[in-house]
């Protein structure tokens, strides 16, 4: 009796055959529970006051003449020689009056709209690694083929709501124009919103224009209906370089979303204490928020946070640490203090898609969820401290994200759910397997994992004895086989192809 049962169990969970990978349906994910308050109201105000002191007395270096001019005209104290800007709390208060507590990004498929703010939570594909890895081909430099495959995976899984900036860098393409190739891949292989590169004005504007083309809109129409976002990475401590400042101003000018995100690694780019790092992060983020509103009052902007720590023995960045998790929660409190949507990140320093990679990522993911993050950036595929995009880690992360989505679904309590009639029908010492209440719900009662293996040991061995990472390899390969490219109007595709060709010719060997 046990032998046939073991075989059926092995066949049922081996991920072989035509059966689709189980996944949650497309839906807007909300966090219905109160955000965790790790800091008291007095502590939040103490961090706020420290941030005001930094901005009013120490200032921020801004390496952009155009940005310096904007601050100058707005009444900030600008030292053009040192490119240092000091702003007072009055200027911050005025800027916050025109920011929005929530807004929406609309891609070419309106059903994939990304809602930012309130209790909505969104998850994105990893962004920016120079390398890519899978268990069959090993670690290698980023390239367009892998870029496209990872983008296809992002389209395939509903829990990935948006793409980040270049899931891996296609290093075989010219650095000054490869953003055009990646934007084109984003827009044709998916129908989701994406992050544009804001390294200077040209790259940002190309992303805005290409999204507008895909939606059949003019740039003026896109101003009031944003479709893309970017991350402005502050060169902590207290520096906005020219390219980041120009990218920020371009995005704000055209009404597109900006997440101002200081990269504050405690012990390296910020004080070794969490309170000090949060004060610095807060000052740098608010400074960028002010700049968006000086360019265009009402421009959509997010409070970004990426505070973690370094290994004090080596100086290497660490992620998914207890300090990182606490920072994710505390930063959410600061974002709500200013009425801004909140961008945060899980992460791991692990060099492999292994247990360390999972527990560090999940630790930081809990911080993002408890802190009520609205945009969870780098949510799927991050490996090696962000230096590698991993196919297996992508699958593991998708599983964790889906677990979190189901955790966030509220418990229903009603007559049917209480199941009192079923409880009375089953005798003491009996079971509920054959009870009508169970049979009516057995297919949908519980979350169905795509990666976990619940076989007994013998059945698991018979099915190949694959561990989580090996099963993840099978799953990403199957997802690529099952991927269906979203349809695009032929005229829109031709217009995008023409735009890319025209811009590559215009850019030539120079910068965009």
């Amino acid at each position: 009796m046990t032998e046939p049962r073991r075989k059926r169990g092995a066949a049922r969970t081996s991920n072989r055959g035509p059966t689709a990978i189980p996944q949650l349906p497309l839906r807007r994910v909300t966090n219905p529970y109160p955000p965790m308050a790790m800091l008291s109201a007095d502590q939040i105000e103490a961090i706020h006051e420290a941030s005001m002191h930094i901005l009013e007395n120490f200032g921020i270096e801004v390496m952009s003449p155009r940005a310096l001019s904007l601050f100058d005209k707005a009444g900030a104290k600008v030292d053009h020689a040192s490119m240092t800007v000091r702003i007072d709390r009055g200027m911050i208060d005025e800027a916050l009056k025109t920011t929005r507590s929530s807004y929406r990004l609309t891609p070419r498929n309106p059903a994939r709209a990304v809602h930012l703010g309130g209790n909505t939570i969104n998850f994105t594909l990893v962004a920016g690694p120079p390398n890519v890895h899978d268990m069959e081909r090993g670690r290698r430099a980023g390239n367009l083929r892998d870029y496209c495959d990872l983008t296809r995976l992002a389209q395939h899984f509903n829990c990935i709501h948006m793409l980040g900036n270049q899931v891996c860098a296609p290093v075989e393409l010219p650095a000054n124009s490869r953003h055009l190739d990646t934007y084109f891949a984003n827009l044709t292989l998916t129908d989701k919103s994406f992050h544009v590169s804001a390294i200077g004005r040209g790259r940002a504007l190309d992303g805005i224009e290409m999204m507008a083309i895909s939606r059949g809109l003019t740039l003026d129409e896109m101003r009031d209906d944003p479709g893309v976002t970017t991350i402005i990475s502050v060169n902590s401590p207290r520096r906005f370089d020219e390219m980041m400042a120009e990218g920020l101003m371009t995005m704000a000018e055209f009404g597109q979303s900006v997440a101002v995100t200081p990269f504050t690694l405690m012990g390296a780019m910020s004080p070794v204490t969490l309170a000090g790092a949060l004060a610095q992060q807060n000052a740098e983020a608010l400074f960028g928020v002010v700049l968006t509103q000086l360019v265009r009052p009402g421009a959509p902007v997010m409070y970004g946070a990426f505070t973690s720590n370094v290994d004090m023995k080596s100086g290497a960045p660490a992620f998914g640490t207890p300090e990182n998790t606490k920072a994710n929660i505390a930063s959410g409190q600061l974002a709500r203090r200013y009425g801004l949507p909140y961008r945060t990140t899980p992460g791991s320093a692990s060099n492999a898609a292994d247990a360390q990679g999972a527990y560090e990522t999940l630790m930081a993911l809990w911080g993002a969820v408890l802190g009520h993050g609205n945009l969870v950036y780098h949510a799927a595929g991050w490996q090696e401290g962000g230096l590698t995009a991993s196919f297996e880690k992508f699958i593991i992360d998708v599983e964790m994200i889906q677990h979190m989505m189901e955790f966030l679904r509220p418990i229903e309590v009603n007559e049917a759910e209480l199941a009192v009639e079923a409880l009375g029908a089953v005798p003491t010492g009996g079971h509920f397997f054959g009870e009508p209440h169970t049979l009516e719900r057995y297919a949908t009662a519980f979350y169905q994992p795509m990666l976990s293996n619940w076989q007994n040991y013998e059945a698991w061995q018979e099915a190949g004895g694959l561990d989580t990472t090996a099963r993840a390899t099978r799953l990403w390969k199957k997802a690529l086989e099952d991927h269906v490219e979203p349809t695009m109007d032929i005229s829109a595709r031709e217009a995008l192809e023409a735009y890319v060709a025209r811009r590559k010719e215009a850019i030539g060997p120079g910068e965009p």
Side-chain angles (χ1 to χ4, degrees), residues 135 326 410:
M135 295 302 293
K326 287 191 279 188

Tab-separated table of all heavy atoms in Angstrom, residues 135 326 410:
chain	number	residue	atom	x	y	z
A	135	MET	N	22.760	27.789	-11.662
A	135	MET	CA	23.498	26.609	-11.217
A	135	MET	C	24.073	25.796	-12.371
A	135	MET	O	25.007	25.023	-12.172
A	135	MET	CB	22.587	25.720	-10.357
A	135	MET	CG	22.151	26.364	-9.055
A	135	MET	SD	23.526	26.862	-7.988
A	135	MET	CE	24.192	25.255	-7.567
A	326	LYS	N	15.773	46.493	11.374
A	326	LYS	CA	15.263	47.593	12.201
A	326	LYS	C	15.219	48.892	11.425
A	326	LYS	O	14.273	49.682	11.564
A	326	LYS	CB	16.133	47.737	13.465
A	326	LYS	CG	15.905	46.642	14.479
A	326	LYS	CD	16.562	46.951	15.821
A	326	LYS	CE	18.023	46.620	15.825
A	326	LYS	NZ	18.609	46.736	17.196
A	410	PRO	N	-6.180	38.962	5.191
A	410	PRO	CA	-6.817	38.904	6.515
A	410	PRO	C	-7.540	37.580	6.764
A	410	PRO	O	-7.992	36.914	5.829
A	410	PRO	CB	-7.820	40.066	6.466
A	410	PRO	CG	-7.323	40.970	5.385
A	410	PRO	CD	-6.678	40.079	4.374
